Protein backbone atom coordinates (compact mmCIF):
# COMPACT_ATOMS: atom_id res chain seq x y z
CA UNK A 1 0.00 0.00 0.00
CA UNK A 2 1.48 3.32 -1.05
CA UNK A 3 1.87 6.21 1.35
CA UNK A 4 -0.91 8.75 1.10
CA UNK A 5 0.14 12.30 0.23
CA UNK A 6 -0.84 14.93 2.74
CA UNK A 7 -1.20 18.53 1.70
CA UNK A 8 -1.73 21.70 3.71
CA UNK A 9 -5.50 21.10 3.89
CA UNK A 10 -4.88 17.93 5.88
CA UNK A 11 -2.61 19.73 8.36
CA UNK A 12 -5.01 22.69 8.68
CA UNK A 13 -7.82 20.25 9.35
CA UNK A 14 -5.69 18.45 11.91
CA UNK A 15 -4.87 21.70 13.70
CA UNK A 16 -8.57 22.61 13.81
CA UNK A 17 -9.18 19.24 15.47
CA UNK A 18 -6.05 18.96 17.61
CA UNK A 19 -6.04 22.37 19.29
CA UNK A 20 -9.63 22.56 20.62
CA UNK A 21 -9.64 18.91 21.72
CA UNK A 22 -6.45 19.23 23.74
CA UNK A 23 -6.73 22.87 24.84
CA UNK A 24 -7.68 22.12 28.46
CA UNK A 25 -4.81 19.66 28.68
CA UNK A 26 -2.38 22.17 27.10
CA UNK A 27 -3.39 24.84 29.62
CA UNK A 28 -3.37 22.59 32.69
CA UNK A 29 -0.22 20.49 32.31
CA UNK A 30 1.48 21.69 29.14
CA UNK A 31 4.86 22.60 30.56
CA UNK A 32 4.94 20.12 33.43
CA UNK A 33 4.01 16.96 31.50
CA UNK A 34 5.45 17.06 27.96
CA UNK A 35 5.18 13.27 27.54
CA UNK A 36 1.47 13.39 28.31
CA UNK A 37 1.04 16.26 25.86
CA UNK A 38 2.92 14.39 23.14
CA UNK A 39 0.82 11.27 23.74
CA UNK A 40 -2.46 13.19 23.57
CA UNK A 41 -1.35 15.04 20.42
CA UNK A 42 -0.22 11.81 18.74
CA UNK A 43 -3.51 10.11 19.62
CA UNK A 44 -5.49 13.05 18.25
CA UNK A 45 -3.53 13.00 14.98
CA UNK A 46 -3.93 9.22 14.72
CA UNK A 47 -7.68 9.49 15.37
CA UNK A 48 -7.95 12.27 12.79
CA UNK A 49 -6.04 10.20 10.25
CA UNK A 50 -8.33 7.22 10.89
CA UNK A 51 -11.39 9.45 10.58
CA UNK A 52 -10.27 11.10 7.35
CA UNK A 53 -8.83 8.02 5.65
CA UNK A 54 -11.05 5.32 7.14
CA UNK A 55 -9.80 2.12 8.66
CA UNK A 56 -8.90 0.27 5.51
CA UNK A 57 -8.84 0.31 1.75
CA UNK A 58 -12.20 1.26 0.30
CA UNK A 59 -11.51 -0.24 -3.13
CA UNK A 60 -12.05 -3.83 -2.02
CA UNK A 61 -15.84 -3.96 -2.15
CA UNK A 62 -15.92 -7.77 -2.30
CA UNK A 63 -14.82 -7.95 1.34
CA UNK A 64 -18.02 -6.28 2.55
CA UNK A 65 -19.50 -8.39 5.33
CA UNK A 66 -23.27 -8.19 5.64
CA UNK A 67 -23.33 -10.13 8.90
CA UNK A 68 -20.80 -7.75 10.45
CA UNK A 69 -22.88 -4.78 9.32
CA UNK A 70 -26.06 -6.23 10.83
CA UNK A 71 -24.22 -6.97 14.09
CA UNK A 72 -22.96 -3.38 14.24
CA UNK A 73 -26.43 -2.01 13.58
CA UNK A 74 -27.97 -4.24 16.26
CA UNK A 75 -25.41 -3.30 18.91
CA UNK A 76 -25.19 0.40 17.92
CA UNK A 77 -21.38 0.10 17.78
CA UNK A 78 -20.42 2.02 14.68
CA UNK A 79 -16.65 2.36 15.07
CA UNK A 80 -13.79 -0.07 14.83
CA UNK A 81 -12.08 -1.55 17.87
CA UNK A 82 -8.91 0.44 17.15
CA UNK A 83 -10.92 3.67 17.01
CA UNK A 84 -12.53 2.82 20.35
CA UNK A 85 -9.13 2.08 21.94
CA UNK A 86 -7.76 5.42 20.71
CA UNK A 87 -10.77 7.27 22.12
CA UNK A 88 -10.47 5.55 25.50
CA UNK A 89 -6.73 6.31 25.53
CA UNK A 90 -7.43 9.99 24.82
CA UNK A 91 -9.96 10.06 27.66
CA UNK A 92 -7.39 8.47 29.95
CA UNK A 93 -4.83 11.13 29.00
CA UNK A 94 -7.28 13.91 29.91
CA UNK A 95 -8.28 12.19 33.15
CA UNK A 96 -4.63 11.73 34.10
CA UNK A 97 -4.04 15.38 33.22
CA UNK A 98 -6.84 16.43 35.60
CA UNK A 99 -5.36 14.35 38.42
CA UNK A 100 -1.81 15.64 37.82
CA UNK A 101 -3.02 19.23 37.60
CA UNK A 102 -4.89 18.98 40.90
CA UNK A 103 -1.97 17.28 42.64
CA UNK A 104 0.36 20.05 41.45
CA UNK A 105 -1.98 22.89 42.41
CA UNK A 106 -2.72 21.40 45.83
CA UNK A 107 1.02 21.13 46.54
CA UNK A 108 1.51 24.75 45.49
CA UNK A 109 -1.37 25.92 47.68
CA UNK A 110 -0.04 23.94 50.65
CA UNK A 111 3.40 25.51 50.20
CA UNK A 112 1.82 28.95 49.89
CA UNK A 113 -0.17 28.38 53.09
CA UNK A 114 2.95 27.35 54.96
CA UNK A 115 4.72 30.52 53.83
CA UNK A 116 1.81 32.78 54.79
CA UNK A 117 1.45 30.96 58.12
CA UNK A 118 -2.23 30.29 57.54
CA UNK A 119 -3.29 33.86 56.90
CA UNK A 120 -7.06 34.05 56.92
CA UNK A 121 -7.42 36.86 54.40
CA UNK A 122 -8.67 35.90 50.95
CA UNK A 123 -7.40 38.07 48.18
CA UNK A 124 -8.80 38.50 44.70
CA UNK A 125 -5.80 36.60 43.34
CA UNK A 126 -6.54 33.49 45.40
CA UNK A 127 -10.21 33.56 44.40
CA UNK A 128 -9.21 33.96 40.75
CA UNK A 129 -6.69 31.10 40.98
CA UNK A 130 -9.27 28.87 42.62
CA UNK A 131 -11.84 29.66 39.95
CA UNK A 132 -9.39 28.97 37.13
CA UNK A 133 -8.41 25.71 38.82
CA UNK A 134 -12.01 24.58 39.07
CA UNK A 135 -12.77 25.53 35.46
CA UNK A 136 -9.70 23.69 34.12
CA UNK A 137 -10.50 20.61 36.19
CA UNK A 138 -14.10 20.66 34.99
CA UNK A 139 -13.01 21.08 31.35
CA UNK A 140 -10.52 18.21 31.64
CA UNK A 141 -13.11 15.93 33.23
CA UNK A 142 -15.79 16.81 30.65
CA UNK A 143 -13.42 16.13 27.74
CA UNK A 144 -12.25 12.90 29.41
CA UNK A 145 -15.86 11.84 29.90
CA UNK A 146 -16.70 12.53 26.26
CA UNK A 147 -13.75 10.49 25.00
CA UNK A 148 -14.27 7.64 27.47
CA UNK A 149 -18.00 7.34 26.81
CA UNK A 150 -17.66 7.57 23.02
CA UNK A 151 -14.93 4.95 23.15
CA UNK A 152 -16.86 2.65 25.45
CA UNK A 153 -20.12 2.88 23.50
CA UNK A 154 -18.36 2.91 20.12
CA UNK A 155 -20.22 5.89 18.71
Amino acid sequence: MAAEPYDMRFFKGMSKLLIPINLPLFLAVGRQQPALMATAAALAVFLGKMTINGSGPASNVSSFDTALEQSAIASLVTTSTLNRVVRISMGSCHLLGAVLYNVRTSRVSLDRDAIKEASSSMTAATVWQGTVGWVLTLALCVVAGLWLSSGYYGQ
Side-chain angles (χ1 to χ4, degrees), residues 89-105:
S89 299
M90 285 191 66
S92 300
C93 284
H94 283 83
L95 197 58
L96 180 62
V99 169
L100 291 173
Y101 174 72
N102 283 303
V103 166
R104 181 175 55 86
T105 55

Side-chain angles (χ1 to χ4, degrees), residues 24-34 36-37 97-98 100-101 104:
L25 195 61
F26 290 154
L27 294 175
V29 295
R31 291 186 316 188
Q32 293 79 20
Q33 301 294 332
L36 183 62
M37 294 306 308
L100 291 173
Y101 174 72
R104 181 175 55 86

